[in-house]
């Protein structure tokens, strides 16, 4: 069973983040962490100003509203790759994972929405020179969460690994 459009059961978006006392959701904590030029952070973690670099399409973004927080392995893909058997608590931990930088990435809304729920066999970032990084981060996220890969995805990742001999995959197993 896959996820319905718009989400998977038990995947809470966005929770109170790593520091519930700061009033920021995971989304805003990722934005603050990935900022290039610091924004103003107001009451209830309202973000104004600032700038970010969307590595998928090599674009500078000057408004937080122009960014999405991409789940490196999309929620529906994770669901189909093993998350459907997890507890609701583990799915929420996955959806809000800030324990590995590549798990959640601030990118242009346009690039994230073109990716949707696709894996590397179906979608790669528009900027060709980041494909090796993207494949390594995808693989690291899959390994971190012990997710599976179907044959088509695995073939695409193997092709990318061959094309990216200097790229290293790093990850820390999820708690």
């Amino acid at each position: 069973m896959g996820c319905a459009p718009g989400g998977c059961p038990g995947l809470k978006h966005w929770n109170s983040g790593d520091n519930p006392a700061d009033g920021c959701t995971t989304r805003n904590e990722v934005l603050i962490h990935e900022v290039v030029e610091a924004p103003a952070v107001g009451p209830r973690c309202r973000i104004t100003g600032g700038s970010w670099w969307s590595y998928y399409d090599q674009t500078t973004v000057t408004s937080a509203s122009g960014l999405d927080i991409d789940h490196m392995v999309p929620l529906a893909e994770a669901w189909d790759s093993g998350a459907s058997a997890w507890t609701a608590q583990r799915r929420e931990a996955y959806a809000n994972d800030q324990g590995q930088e590549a798990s959640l990435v601030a990118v242009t809304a346009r690039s994230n929405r073109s990716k949707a729920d696709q894996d590397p066999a179906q979608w790669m970032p528009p900027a060709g020179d980041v494909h090796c990084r993207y494949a390594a981060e995808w693989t690291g996220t899959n390994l971190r969460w012990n997710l599976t890969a179907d044959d088509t995805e695995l073939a695409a990742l193997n092709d990318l690994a061959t094309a990216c001999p200097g790229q290293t995959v790093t990850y820390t197993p999820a708690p």
Side-chain angles (χ1 to χ4, degrees):
M1 174 180 133
C3 294
C8 299
L11 290 174
K12 186 175 178 187
H13 251 139
W14 298 101
N15 69 17
S16 59
D18 285 348
N19 181 7
D22 69 5
C24 295
T25 63
T26 297
R27 173 190 160 70
N28 283 356
E29 286 180 358
V30 171
L31 288 172
I32 291 166
H33 176 74
E34 292 196 10
V35 72
V36 172
E37 182 182 322
V41 181
R44 297 176 6 149
C45 206
R46 181 164 158 38
I47 295 176
T48 54
S51 68
W52 294 263
W53 179 249
S54 171
Y55 94 81
Y56 287 3
D57 47 8
Q58 307 287 283
T59 301
T60 298
V61 179
T62 57
S63 172
S65 65
L67 294 162
D68 280 354
I69 304 303
D70 180 40
H71 292 87
M72 180 56 60
V73 176
L75 299 176
E77 176 70 21
W79 180 266
D80 292 340
S81 300
S84 61
W86 296 346
T87 64
Q89 183 178 36
R90 185 153 178 85
R91 288 192 296 265
E92 182 179 338
Y94 175 81
N96 291 274
D97 180 20
Q98 294 183 69
Q100 180 168 290
E101 285 197 25
S103 293
L104 299 171
V105 185
V107 296
T108 61
R110 178 182 61 253
S111 66
N112 187 47
R113 292 169 192 172
S114 76
K115 174 183 175 181
D117 294 331
Q118 299 176 87
D119 68 34
Q122 304 157 318
W123 185 89
M124 290 297 289
D129 60 343
V130 301
H131 287 185
C132 293
R133 172 184 172 183
Y134 181 81
E137 290 179 352
W138 178 282
T139 301
T141 301
N142 255 10
L143 292 169
R144 174 173 171 75
W145 288 93
N146 198 28
L147 296 169
T148 62
D150 63 33
D151 291 341
T152 307
E153 177 185 347
L154 191 55
L157 290 169
N158 281 330
D159 289 347
L160 285 160
T162 300
C164 305
Q167 186 68 53
T168 302
V169 173
T170 59
Y171 73 98
T172 303

